[in-house]
Each structure stands twice: as C-alpha cells, then as structure tokens.
Amino acid sequence: MMSAPMLRLEGVQKSFGGLTAVAALSLEVPAGCVAGLMGPNGAGKTTVINLITGLLRADSGVIALDGAPIQHLPVHAIAARGIARTYQNVRLFAGMTALEQVMAGSYLRRRTSLMASFLALPSARAALRMTRRRALDLLARVGMAARADELAETLSYGEQRRIEIARALGAGPRLLLLDEPTAGMNAQESEAIGRLVHTLRDDGLTVLMVEHNVRLVSDFCDQVTVMSFGRALVHGTPTACMADPEVQEAYFGRKEDAQRIRALR
Amino acid sequence: MADFWAAYQSTLGFAMVNAFFALSTYAVLSAGMLSFATVTFAALGGFLGAQLAVHLALPPVLVMPVSALSGALLAYVVALLFLRLDSHWMALASLALVLITRVVALNATALTGGVNGLSVPLSLPLWVLAAILAVICVVFWRLSASWYGIAARAVREDAAVAATLGIPQRRIQTIAFIISGAVGGLGGILLALMLQFLSPETYFIDIAFTMIAAVVLGGSYHWAGAIVGAVVFTALPVLLQAVVPDFEKVANGICLLLIMIFLPRGLIDPRALRLRRARKAPSR
C-alpha cells in the first residue's frame, strides 16, 4: 500500500437540486489494492461510482487516474483509460448470451478495426477468434464457462452478477469498480466473489467495491472508506473502521436514541 | 405458372424495393434510434439519380452508386444534427424532415420537376433488383457479425452501459446513419426505376408507413426481419385480394393485427428462438 495512488478523488462535489449527494469527498485508492466503500443507504456510494465512470459529472473537484485528471472525459474515453464497472442492479444486455455479453465488453480489446472486421480480413478473423477465447477464459474465471451459450437473462441473479464481472473484465481494466457485487447472494456465493476479487488483485488489478456485507469487507478489503451523507467519515483498515464510534453511529444510530425509542414504546 | 408470374411480377418488384427502405430503417433502429429520415435519403437518391439518368444519360450501373453515396452524405449531415437529440425527439425531428422533404420536392423544380413530376426513361430487370438486394443482404450479414454489429447491439440495449465498456455511442450511431442513408438513397433510385415516374408525393408518408410497418412486422432484431416484413407487408394485400376479393382490406388488417398481437417482436426474433431452445434443452 505504499505505492502511488491509482485513483485519487479530491474535493469532489455533486448535488442534485438542493440535495448534496457527495460533499467535498477526497479518497485515494493505491495501485494493487482492494478498497472498500461502505456507508448506510443514501450515503452517496453509487454516486461516487457514477462520478468516477463519468455517467455523472462532478460539480467541482478532481478525479485522477494515475495522476491524470479524467473528470472532463466522455464516458467511453474514461473506460478506454482503464476503468470498468458493474452495476448495483445488474445491467446485462437483453437478448445476449453470456459469451456475447463478455464479447461486447471486450470492444476495447478487439485488436482490429471496425472496417477490417466488416470485411472479415484474415487478421480480423484471427483477432476475433482470440477475443472469443479470451472471453471464454474470463467466463471460466468467474465460474460461468458452462453457461457461455445460454441467454444471460435466463440465469440466476448470482450468475448474472458474475457474468457482469466477466463483461467488465473483458474491457481489460486496470481499475475495477464493483457496485455491491454480492447483493442478493448467500454467504457461500459472497465468499466466492471475495476470493475472485483477491485473485484479480494478485494479477495486478486494483479494485474499489461498494459493499454492505461487513464480513466480506473485513475479510477481503485492504482498506475501507466509510461514507455518510456524502462525506468520508473514516478511512483506514477494515478493523479500525468497524470499531470507530462514528461508523457505528452512522450504521446503528445513537445509543441515546435507542433508549428514547425504548421509552416511547 | 406463366400467368401467375406475370400477375405478381410488379408486386415482387415493389416488395424488394420496400425491403431497401425497411433495411434502411433497420440500420438506425439496430443502433437504438427511430428515424423516418430514410424518406429524405430516398428522395435525394431518387431525384438526383433520375436527373443524372435523364440529363447525362448515365446508365443505371453508374447512377445507383451516386444515389447511394448522396444518401450516405446527407445522412452524415443529418446524424451531426440528430445525434444531439434524445430518442423520441429524434423521431419527431425526422418526421419534420419528411415534411420539409415534400415542400422541397414541390418547389425545387430544377431537381424534382415540381408538381409536374419527372419521368425516368430507364427500367430495371427484376433479376438485377434481386441481385442488388442479395449484395445488400451480404453487407448486413457482415455488419451484424462484425465488431460494429456487436457494438451497435450493446448501444441499442443500454447506451450508458455500452459507454462504460468503452463503446463510443456517437460514432456507432453516426455509422448507423450513414448505412441507413446509403441504403435509403439506393432504395430511392430503385423505386424511381420501378415507377419510371416521380412526383413530390412519391417520397412521402407512404414510404414512412411502409418501412415502419415492415420492420415491426418482420422484427427489428435481425436484418432478415426487415426483408421478411417488407415482403409480407407488400404481398399480403395483393394475395388477399386474389383469395378474398370482397374482404381484402379487412383481412389485411386482421392479419397484421394478429402478427402484432402474437409476435410483438416480429416474425424474425432471434431472442424468442433462443428462449425456445433454452426451454427445450434438458434442465441443468
């Protein structure tokens, strides 16, 4: 964790009308690290992911990848710089098989021009074969190789989540943003996602994941940032963050409030 | 058989010409855009091609590429303007473009002949028309199998997600418009050669209606759907007139309604095919 930050947010601000979703947020994710982003519902976690990927524009502040600001770039250019993501509510393409999803995700790694591909030049055909093999490898990596030719929408929620991760990996990112990757999964499936994230990190990928599952964050994240009402509350190791009284208050409320509620009953 | 051929030859011709308009519509639809601008591309390709044939006595072989190219160029300009608009606004803007096209066709008498129309002293054998359609089919097959096709499908299903995967929406949709323009312009001159006469009414609401109906009927998720839809939409009234002459219009309406109710995604639907296959396959 001593290396330079891969992702750096500095004073990032985003408001929707009168509501401040992200307020002066600063955040650093070192290269080769699994960073967790926690916080109660409405804390602005998904907004942060949308700001980094360019789906939303920050009102002010700097978002930098490897030191270069990216907050002004169009969405597809940010992806081309090496950021890929998954979505809180799985957003796979309708009507596509698992393999086709990952192929679509591999657009940036196609290694051939659109024209060469249209003309089916030998080089383009070879590149397509290679991309398909790579897509199958990625499906195998998330444990979905056997489902490659199945329509993604017919698969279970957990399976769809894993296909979405494979699709994001198809873009060959350096930074992977996972928005609640284990939502709706049981403990066993969540554990498998955690282990997958670790193998990805060991291969040199940097990961930032929004996650509610405290155990998963404790077990698999190297560092955690806890957000509340659009601000970074605490930043540090998972253990230190969980023990922080401010974090406990943000998640569970105040002790006095609990007593008052008991008194009202 | 010979009688049958003679009777339905022109129907077949119009079915094929309509297939070009349907394919032009499919080209933009397959990248997630509903646009009626095909009518305008067809008008430019038709009138310009007819003028070249009349005044420069160019043969159809030379006229057709010029028509396609003019359509593609116009489509590029249209794309620059239209891609700033959101989906339904684009559809409305393209309808406005159709209305403008008619006004221009009425008044730009040097190009269109105005209210008097323009006669086109050239004809086109049916087999040539079929051959050109076959070539266009190969083009669409290659497009759908290429990286352009993969990207267009992603943009159509979810443009924001596609962008976060590095797929440039504007670029893909601009290409879609250029393809639509080329095929529309080509369809325009082919219609001119079929009719051998053009009036300001030739390229108007009728074509817009035909191409949308063809794509809806045939299915907008595969290029073959546009062709099947165009053939069904063109041939059905003629066939029904032969079978049930008294109720032809009613029967036509009922057939179209039935297709739309029971096959809302059209006659050719790759997704339904896959779902059926998935259901048939032994459960995992």
Side-chain angles (χ1 to χ4, degrees):
Chain A
M1 256 193 261
M2 277 158 287
S3 42
M6 166 157 280
L7 179 74
R8 185 168 54 85
L9 272 67
E10 210 177 282
V12 171
Q13 190 104 18
K14 179 69 188 177
S15 306
F16 300 106
L19 177 83
T20 306
V22 175
L25 181 75
S26 293
L27 179 77
E28 282 191 359
V29 180
C33 151
V34 176
L37 191 57
M38 294 185 70
N41 286 327
K45 304 178 300 287
T46 297
T47 305
V48 170
I49 302 281
N50 285 338
L51 288 169
I52 296 171
T53 49
L55 289 182
L56 289 174
R57 295 286 153 194
D59 299 335
S60 61
V62 176
I63 301 171
L65 185 72
D66 282 333
I70 54 166
Q71 73 274 5
H72 58 280
L73 293 175
V75 180
H76 66 87
I78 291 174
R81 291 284 177 98
I83 299 182
R85 66 170 292 182
T86 64
Y87 294 84
Q88 190 177 349
N89 317 302
V90 181
R91 280 170 79 173
L92 290 172
F93 300 121
M96 286 192 198
T97 64
L99 179 61
E100 285 169 342
Q101 310 273 356
V102 185
M103 286 296 283
S106 307
Y107 180 85
L108 286 169
R109 303 285 153 194
R110 63 190 187 281
R111 291 159 177 272
T112 176
S113 70
L114 295 185
M115 191 45 103
S117 157
F118 168 70
L119 296 173
L121 299 181
S123 65
R125 289 219 300 269
L128 187 68
R129 268 197 302 277
M130 238 172 69
T131 312
R132 190 171 288 134
R133 207 172 313 132
R134 180 173 162 273
L136 281 168
D137 286 346
L138 288 173
L139 279 174
R141 187 139 202 204
V142 299
M144 296 299 298
R147 303 266 184 276
D149 292 322
E150 287 182 43
L151 214 51
E153 60 217 77
T154 62
L155 301 175
S156 78
Y157 196 59
E159 289 173 320
Q160 293 190 18
R161 283 207 169 278
R162 283 189 276 165
I163 291 170
E164 208 185 29
I165 293 176
R167 182 179 71 180
L169 291 174
R174 288 181 296 151
L175 173 66
L176 178 64
L177 310 174
L178 300 173
D179 198 350
E180 299 197 22
T182 68
M185 287 187 180
N186 62 30
Q188 220 178 349
E189 290 173 313
S190 303
E191 184 85 16
I193 294 290
R195 279 198 306 272
L196 171 67
V197 167
H198 263 187
T199 63
L200 292 172
R201 179 198 59 186
D202 295 343
D203 287 352
L205 196 65
T206 306
V207 181
L208 173 63
M209 66 172 170
V210 170
E211 187 53 67
H212 275 306
N213 187 333
V214 174
R215 238 196 76 195
L216 200 79
V217 170
S218 309
D219 290 354
F220 293 102
C221 287
D222 303 318
Q223 66 159 62
V224 180
T225 303
V226 182
M227 285 180 73
S228 182
F229 295 108
R231 294 172 190 283
L233 216 51
V234 212
H235 178 83
T237 64
T239 338
C241 282
M242 299 315 167
D244 193 287
E246 272 196 282
V247 173
Q248 299 201 338
E249 188 182 306
Y251 263 90
F252 307 116
R254 282 186 212 164
K255 270 202 179 115
E256 305 94 86
D257 286 346
Q259 273 153 9
R260 204 173 307 138
I261 290 166
R262 211 171 296 140
L264 286 170
R265 270 194 194 143
Chain B
M1 193 63 203
D3 290 348
F4 182 84
W5 179 244
Y8 293 112
Q9 211 172 4
S10 82
T11 304
L12 186 60
F14 281 113
M16 286 196 279
V17 170
N18 283 340
F20 284 88
F21 298 133
L23 280 171
S24 169
T25 310
Y26 168 81
V28 277
L29 213 51
S30 63
M33 300 173 289
L34 176 60
S35 156
F36 295 91
T38 289
V39 175
T40 308
F41 308 147
L44 179 64
F47 284 121
L48 186 67
Q51 289 290 356
L52 288 177
V54 173
H55 292 297
L56 300 180
L58 289 184
V61 203
L62 289 178
V63 168
M64 284 186 284
V66 174
S67 291
L69 201 65
S70 67
L73 278 176
L74 179 61
Y76 178 66
V77 177
V78 167
L80 287 182
L81 297 170
F82 277 20
L83 287 181
R84 296 161 190 278
L85 304 172
D86 280 337
S87 60
H88 43 291
W89 298 114
M90 185 194 287
L92 275 178
S94 71
L95 269 180
L97 192 63
V98 173
L99 299 178
I100 293 169
T101 304
R102 182 162 173 276
V103 176
V104 172
L106 274 169
N107 294 294
T109 42
L111 178 68
T112 65
V115 283
N116 299 323
L118 191 67
S119 73
V120 186
L122 283 175
S123 68
L124 193 68
L126 218 48
W127 69 267
V128 177
L129 188 57
I132 299 170
L133 184 57
V135 170
I136 296 297
C137 283
V138 173
V139 169
F140 272 83
W141 163 65
R142 277 314 309 159
L143 281 171
S144 75
S146 74
W147 275 105
Y148 166 78
I150 294 172
R153 231 167 295 147
V155 168
R156 175 190 197 162
E157 292 302 336
D158 196 328
V161 171
T164 61
L165 294 169
I167 299 173
Q169 180 187 353
R170 278 272 181 101
R171 179 160 178 235
I172 296 297
Q173 292 186 327
T174 303
I175 297 173
F177 255 112
I178 291 172
I179 296 163
S180 173
V183 178
L186 186 58
I189 185 64
L190 292 173
L191 182 65
L193 296 175
M194 278 287 294
L195 294 170
Q196 301 190 320
F197 178 78
L198 294 178
S199 80
E201 307 294 328
T202 308
Y203 305 102
F204 198 44
I205 294 298
D206 275 358
I207 291 184
F209 183 69
T210 304
M211 71 199 197
I212 292 296
V215 172
V216 169
L217 279 182
S220 58
Y221 289 87
H222 193 286
W223 55 268
I227 296 171
V228 171
V231 170
V232 170
F233 188 76
T234 314
L236 199 62
V238 182
L239 289 176
L240 287 174
Q241 199 178 21
V243 181
V244 279
D246 301 335
F247 306 102
E248 171 236 328
K249 287 233 164 73
V250 178
N252 195 28
I254 290 175
C255 284
L256 297 184
L257 269 179
L258 286 178
I259 294 174
M260 277 188 266
I261 291 169
F262 291 104
L263 296 165
R265 282 167 62 106
L267 293 166
I268 308 281
D269 181 7
R271 181 169 163 270
L273 223 66
R274 286 171 159 180
L275 280 172
R276 219 171 301 138
R277 214 179 304 147
R279 243 178 280 128
K280 259 192 217 148
S283 55
R284 347 184 193 108

